[in-house]
Amino acid sequence: VILGVGGDGPAVAGASGDRMMSSVSSSVTSTAAIDLESLCIQPGKACWLLAVDVVAASDRGSMIDAMSIAVRAALADAKIPKVTIGAVGDDAGDEVGELEVDDDPDACSRIDVSRLGVVVTTSKIGRHGVIDATEDEEACAESTMSVAVD
């Protein structure tokens, strides 16, 4: 699963966007959140590669939280087409056969995102914890903590 930051969103451009996307990416790929075997077309030979680009329309706080929710929603909405593998003559054991992708939308499968969590960020302001802090609240925060929860 490849996650990337796209577009000209002010809060996600550059190094800060890369750091946020890295955090969201690790919550997707470092656990058993997604059954990677379900993306396998032919073991050891071919698999589906998922790519998610995140474009932010606004940078008014809690960007990492919004990014994690957007990635989860995108993966839940993705349709994986059914693929049939054809033979490659006599040497079919070492090569991937011709892949035929079924164009019937009803033959597609979905990615199970039931174990994929979302990121929740808490900002400490004085003695209080603030969830979904605004840009102004984030500026006043003494510290922040982001946790991926399922």
Side-chain angles (χ1 to χ4, degrees), residues 1-2 34-51 80-83 85 95-97 99 101 111:
V1 179
I2 299 173
I34 294 178
D35 178 18
L36 298 179
E37 287 183 17
S38 69
L39 301 176
C40 184
I41 297 170
Q42 185 176 12
K45 307 278 187 204
C47 67
W48 285 104
L49 177 66
L50 304 177
I80 307 296
K82 179 181 175 184
V83 176
I85 303 170
E95 297 181 30
V96 175
L99 302 178
V101 179
I111 299 168

Side-chain angles (χ1 to χ4, degrees), residues 60-134:
R60 302 208 181 251
S62 297
M63 286 300 300
I64 193 168
D65 302 13
M67 291 171 99
S68 73
I69 293 167
V71 167
R72 188 179 201 277
L75 292 175
D77 192 52
K79 293 180 180 179
I80 307 296
K82 179 181 175 184
V83 176
T84 307
I85 303 170
V88 182
D90 295 335
D91 301 316
D94 292 335
E95 297 181 30
V96 175
E98 184 174 319
L99 302 178
E100 184 178 322
V101 179
D102 192 332
D103 60 358
D104 179 6
D106 293 329
C108 294
S109 62
R110 297 279 186 164
I111 299 168
D112 179 12
V113 295
S114 62
R115 294 184 317 235
L116 180 60
V118 294
V119 176
V120 178
T121 301
T122 302
S123 300
K124 182 178 185 248
I125 302 174
R127 296 185 341 220
H128 304 281
V130 177
I131 295 175
D132 194 25
T134 65

